[in-house]
C-alpha cells in the first residue's frame, strides 16, 4: 500500500493574510503560482490559524492541537501549563513526539522538514519522526539565505531524487515575514526591497483602516508597550500605503519560491509516476493596515485568517470552499484522508466510521452542565485529536483561535476567538471592551461591535456559552475569563491594566 500512496508537500509561508494572493481577488499583487495551485485544487476562504504567532501556530500543525493543549504558547514554544494527557505535550510543557511525524513515519513515509523546528527546540532532535533537510540559518530566515541558491538546490534536489517510498516534506518559506523588519527600517532576511513608488501608486488603504468604536483595549495597550514591534504611532496614511506595497512585494517573493518548488514536484511526477498532495498555507496573517494594525497577536480577521490551498489526487479542481477550517487541528486528519494513512486509535477523533462529532474523542462526549445554567464546567481534555478532515461529510460548526502576549508588567494578557458560520466572538482576559461580537456577513471588516448593544444580549450569551464549553472540553484554562452566568460562585475579576503603560 505504501508504494501507492501519494507524497505530501506542506508549504508554509510566514505571516501571510488570507487575501494576499491574486486568487483571492486581490488586484494589487501578482501571485501566478499560488493562483495556479488554487485553480488546480481547492481554496478554502475561511481557514484560521491556531494562534497568530509563529511557534505556537507551527506547533499546532505538527501536533494537531491548539497551543493551550499542545504545550506551545509563546514564541519560545514553551508554556507554563500543558493539559494533562495532551498528545504532543508532556506535563512540563515540552513537546513530545508530534503526531504528524509519528503517524506518517509509521506508515512508511520519509518525513523531512526545512527551517526552524519550533517544538520547542530550534532543531528537531532524533526520534521525532522527522529529519532535517536544510540547515537553519540566522534567526528569522528559516534556513533560506537571501540569494535563495542553497535552498533551491537542496529542495529541488530532494524532490527530484529517485526514491522507493513516499515523502512528507514540511517546507516553510520566510516571506512575507520580512515585513516586520521592513517596518523597523531594516532589510528582510531575503534581501532589501526596492524603494517604494509614490504613495499614489501604492495599494490603497483598506476600508477598515480606521479604528472602530468600542474596540478592545488590551491589543492597543500591547501595541503601545512594543514600539519596536509596532513603530506605527506617528504613521500617516501614505506610510501605511507604502507598508502595504512592501508587504505585497514580499508575498510575491514567496510566490517565486513556490513556483520553483512546484516545478520540481511536476518533474518528480513525470519520471516517478507518483502523485503529490500539495498544501499551501501560512502560520498566521498580518494586520496589513486594517484597524491601523501591523504584525500579529491581535484577533482581527486579517491576522488570524490565512490562505489554505490543497491540490493533488482526491481534491476537487477549481473549487472555492466556505467551510470553516482550523489549520492546526484539521491538517493531520485531512492528510490522512487524502493519503489513506490511518490514524492510530489513540489519536482518532471526529473523523471516523460514525462521522464527525465536534470536540469529541473516540470515547464519546463527556457530559457537563451548561455554563449558562449556572455552573462553570471543569476543564478536561477529551481523548483523541479534535481536528476534522475537510473531506468529512459534515463541516465543523465553530473555529477557535487563541492569543497571548508576553510583556513585562502584563499578567494574563490572553484572548480567545470563536466563530460560527456568521458571527465571531472575541474575549480578552481583561481590558476595556474586552468582549467583541461581529456579524461577519454584514460587517466583514469588524467595525461594529455588537457586544456594545444590549439588544444583542442573547446572541452574546450564546457565544459566551460556546467558548466556555470549548474551554471545558479542550482543557483550556482561559475558561475562567469567560463571563458566563454563574450563580454558584463569583466570577474572577479581570486584571486591571498595568500602570506602567
Amino acid at each position: 500500500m505504501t508504494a501507492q500512496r501519494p507524497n505530501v508537500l506542506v508549504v508554509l509561508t510566514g505571516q501571510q493574510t488570507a487575501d494576499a494572493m491574486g486568487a483571492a481577488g486581490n488586484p494589487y499583487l501578482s501571485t501566478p503560482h499560488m493562483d495556479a495551485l488554487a485553480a488546480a485544487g481547492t481554496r478554502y476562504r475561511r481557514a484560521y490559524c491556531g494562534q497568530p504567532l509563529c511557534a505556537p501556530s507551527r506547533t499546532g500543525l505538527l501536533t494537531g492541537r491548539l497551543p493551550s493543549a499542545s504545550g506551545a504558547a509563546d514564541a519560545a514554544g514553551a508554556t507554563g501549563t500543558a493539559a494533562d494527557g495532551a498528545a504532543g505535550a508532556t506535563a512540563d510543557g515540552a513537546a513530545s513526539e508530534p503526531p504528524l511525524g509519528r503517524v506518517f513515519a509509521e506508515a512508511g513515509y520519509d518525513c523531512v522538514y526545512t527551517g526552524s523546528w519550533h517544538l520547542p527546540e530550534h532543531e528537531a532532535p532524533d526520534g521525532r519522526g522527522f529529519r532535517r533537510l536544510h540547515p537553519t540559518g540566522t534567526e528569522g530566515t528559516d534556513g533560506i539565505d537571501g540569494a535563495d541558491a542553497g535552498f533551491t538546490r537542496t529542495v529541488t534536489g530532494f524532490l527530484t531524487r529517485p526514491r522507493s517510498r513516499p515523502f512528507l516534506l514540511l517546507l516553510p518559506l520566510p516571506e512575507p515575514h520580512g515585513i516586520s523588519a521592513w517596518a523597523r527600517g531594516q532589510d528582510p532576511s531575503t534581501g532589501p526591497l526596492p524603494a517604494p513608488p509614490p504613495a499614489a501608486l501604492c495599494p490603497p488603504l483598506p476600508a477598515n483602516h480606521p479604528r472602530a468604536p468600542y474596540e478592545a483595549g488590551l491589543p492597543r495597550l500591547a501595541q503601545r508597550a512594543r514600539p519596536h514591534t509596532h513603530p506605527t504611532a506617528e504613521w500617516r496614511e501614505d506610510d501605511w500605503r507604502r507598508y502595504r506595497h512592501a508587504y505585497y512585494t514580499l508575498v510575491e517573493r514567496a510566490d517565486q519560491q513556490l513556483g520553483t518548488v512546484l516545478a520540481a514536484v511536476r518533474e518528480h511526477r513525470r519520471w516517478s509516476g507518483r502523485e503529490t498532495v500539495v498544501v499551501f498555507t501560512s502560520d498566521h496573517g498580518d494586520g496589513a493596515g486594517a484597524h491601523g494594525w501591523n504584525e500579529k497577536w491581535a484577533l482581527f480577521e486579517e491576522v488570524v485568517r490565512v490562505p489554505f490551498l490543497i491540490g493533488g489526487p482526491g481534491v476537487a479542481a477549481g473549487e472555492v470552499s466556505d467551510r470553516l477550517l482550523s489549520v492546526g487541528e484539521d491538517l493531520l486528519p485531512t492528510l490522512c484522508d487524502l493519503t489513506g494513512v490511518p490514524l492510530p486509535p489513540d489519536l482518532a477523533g471526529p473523523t471516523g466510521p460514525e462521522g464527525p462529532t465536534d470536540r469529541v474523542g473516540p470515547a464519546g462526549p463527556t457530559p457537563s452542565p451548561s455554563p449558562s445554567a449556572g455552573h462553570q464546567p471543569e476543564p478536561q481534555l477529551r481523548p483523541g485529536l479534535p481536528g476534522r478532515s475537510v473531506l468529512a461529510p459534515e463541516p465543523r460548526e465553530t473555529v477557535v483561535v487563541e492569543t497571548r502576549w508576553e510583556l513585562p508588567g502584563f499578567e494574563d494578557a490572553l484572548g480567545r476567538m470563536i466563530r460560527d458560520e456568521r458571527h465571531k466572538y472575541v474575549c480578552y482576559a481583561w481590558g476595556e471592551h474586552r468582549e467583541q461580537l461581529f456579524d461577519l456577513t454584514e460587517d466583514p471588516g469588524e467595525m461594529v461591535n455588537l457586544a456594545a448593544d444590549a439588544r444583542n444580549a442573547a446572541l452574546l450569551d450564546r457565544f459566551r456559552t460556546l467558548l466556555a464549553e470549548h474551554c471545558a472540553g479542550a482543557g483550556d484554562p482561559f475558561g475562567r475569563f469567560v463571563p458566563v452566568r454563574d450563580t454558584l460562585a463569583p466570577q474572577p475579576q479581570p486584571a486591571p491594566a498595568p500602570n506602567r503603560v
Side-chain angles (χ1 to χ4, degrees), residues 183 223 229-232 235 240 243 286-290 292-296:
Q223 185 183 42
T229 304
H230 302 281
T232 60
W235 280 17
W240 281 108
Y243 179 92
D286 183 274
W293 189 267
N294 74 308
E295 281 281 358
K296 44 214 172 201

Side-chain angles (χ1 to χ4, degrees), residues 360-410:
V360 178
T366 301
S368 60
S370 168
S372 59
H375 178 77
Q376 275 282 41
E378 291 296 323
Q380 51 188 318
L381 188 64
R382 294 172 181 156
L385 291 175
R388 170 170 303 193
S389 168
V390 299
L391 301 183
E394 294 293 332
R396 59 162 63 234
E397 297 179 357
T398 59
V399 167
V400 173
V401 180
E402 306 176 352
T403 195
R404 171 180 176 177
W405 283 268
E406 290 290 338
L407 291 169
F410 282 69

Side-chain angles (χ1 to χ4, degrees), residues 116-431:
S116 298
W117 180 245
H118 285 313
L119 197 62
E121 305 90 344
H122 197 54
E123 303 288 358
D126 294 335
R128 291 289 173 85
F130 288 92
R131 63 182 179 87
R132 181 163 57 99
L133 175 66
H134 190 70
T136 301
T138 57
E139 183 178 357
T141 67
D142 277 335
I144 302 173
D145 54 72
D148 188 33
F151 162 78
T152 301
R153 285 194 303 268
T154 303
V155 174
T156 57
F158 172 82
L159 291 173
T160 56
R161 183 182 311 149
R163 61 185 68 251
S164 60
R165 57 186 179 133
F167 64 78
L168 166 61
L169 172 59
L170 301 184
L171 179 61
L173 303 179
E175 300 300 0
H177 185 273
I179 194 62
S180 301
W182 185 92
R184 300 190 295 265
Q186 302 168 346
D187 289 335
S189 64
T190 54
L193 292 176
L201 299 177
C202 292
L205 297 176
N208 61 345
H209 173 69
R211 298 183 181 183
Y214 301 104
E215 73 169 9
L218 176 54
R220 294 302 175 189
L221 289 171
Q223 185 183 42
R224 291 196 294 271
R226 275 184 165 162
H228 180 70
T229 304
H230 302 281
T232 60
E234 304 300 324
W235 280 17
R236 302 177 67 83
E237 287 82 355
D238 286 355
D239 298 310
W240 281 108
R241 293 185 69 175
R242 284 187 281 268
Y243 179 92
R244 287 169 63 80
H245 177 271
Y247 181 67
Y248 290 155
T249 300
L250 292 171
V251 174
E252 292 175 345
R253 283 188 179 178
D255 186 75
Q256 292 171 2
Q257 287 190 320
L258 175 65
T260 300
V261 172
L262 293 180
V265 169
R266 291 191 295 270
E267 176 65 15
H268 173 80
R269 179 189 176 189
R270 185 187 65 80
W271 59 259
S272 73
R274 192 189 295 271
E275 299 277 2
T276 300
V277 172
V278 179
V279 175
F280 176 87
T281 187
S282 190
D283 53 5
H284 54 78
D286 183 274
H291 304 280
W293 189 267
N294 74 308
E295 281 281 358
K296 44 214 172 201
W297 288 288
L299 295 172
F300 299 128
E301 283 289 284
E302 293 78 7
V303 177
V304 297
R305 196 165 58 88
V306 294
F308 196 86
L309 313 175
I310 306 182
V315 179
E319 290 199 1
V320 178
S321 173
D322 279 335
R323 70 185 291 158
L324 294 173
L325 194 155
S326 174
V327 175
E329 291 185 326
D330 297 344
L331 178 67
L332 176 55
T334 296
L335 293 180
C336 286
D337 275 357
L338 289 172
T339 59
V341 171
L343 272 174
D346 63 316
L347 296 180
T351 56
E354 301 302 321
T357 53
D358 274 339
R359 301 185 300 277
V360 178
T366 301
S368 60
S370 168
S372 59
H375 178 77
Q376 275 282 41
E378 291 296 323
Q380 51 188 318
L381 188 64
R382 294 172 181 156
L385 291 175
R388 170 170 303 193
S389 168
V390 299
L391 301 183
E394 294 293 332
R396 59 162 63 234
E397 297 179 357
T398 59
V399 167
V400 173
V401 180
E402 306 176 352
T403 195
R404 171 180 176 177
W405 283 268
E406 290 290 338
L407 291 169
F410 282 69
E411 182 178 355
D412 292 327
L414 310 169
R416 297 292 185 268
M417 173 211 110
I418 186 168
R419 71 153 294 178
D420 64 7
E421 283 292 316
R422 177 163 184 164
H423 294 95
K424 171 180 174 179
Y425 171 66
V426 176
C427 181
Y428 290 103
W430 52 266

